[in-house]
Amino acid sequence: RREMRPFGVKVSIIEPGGFWTSLLDPATLANGLKHVWERLPPETQAAYGHPYLEACTQCSAQLVRLCSTRLSHATATMVHALLARFPRSRYAAGWDARLLFLPLSYCPAWLSDAI
């Protein structure tokens, strides 16, 4: 974004949160994780253990609950970034992006990694 400013190009960063799409269907995520797990070497599976797969599946199912079903938040930010006379430098689409990801992006790397 800052590298393009001397050339007269304004770049807006859109940071979307989680939005419900068919990719985030819990059954699809569970099948994808299981498929990747089965392709791992046996020693890697033994190192992590089978409870790791179950924990990842449960965690992904819980994260899906936080996703918004209204995709209009993301499209509205794109429209504003493209058509506004004075677009913002950063956009956060969705409540999870505004309350979690945007504040984390301003934190030092060591703090955001710890969180």
Side-chain angles (χ1 to χ4, degrees):
R1 177 173 63 91
R2 293 181 183 135
E3 293 171 352
M4 300 303 288
R5 186 175 297 241
F7 301 105
V9 177
K10 180 150 173 103
V11 176
S12 295
I13 299 171
I14 299 174
E15 298 171 316
F19 290 97
W20 177 263
T21 62
S22 60
L23 291 174
L24 293 178
D25 181 37
T28 306
L29 286 173
N31 289 338
L33 286 171
K34 186 177 179 183
H35 178 70
V36 169
W37 180 262
E38 291 170 351
R39 291 178 42 202
L40 287 174
E43 55 271 357
T44 306
Q45 289 180 1
Y48 283 97
H50 191 69
Y52 181 77
L53 174 64
E54 294 171 5
C56 286
T57 304
Q58 290 176 357
C59 182
S60 63
Q62 290 174 358
L63 285 176
V64 168
R65 292 183 195 161
L66 298 174
C67 296
S68 174
T69 57
R70 296 182 61 197
L71 294 174
S72 62
H73 294 297
T75 56
T77 57
M78 287 185 230
V79 167
H80 189 273
L82 291 171
L83 301 177
R85 183 172 177 155
F86 300 107
R88 299 181 208 143
S89 59
R90 282 191 118 106
Y91 291 90
W95 287 109
D96 52 345
R98 288 184 184 157
L99 298 176
L100 181 66
F101 300 125
L102 189 63
L104 277 178
S105 70
Y106 291 115
C107 292
W110 62 269
L111 181 60
S112 62
D113 290 345
I115 293 173

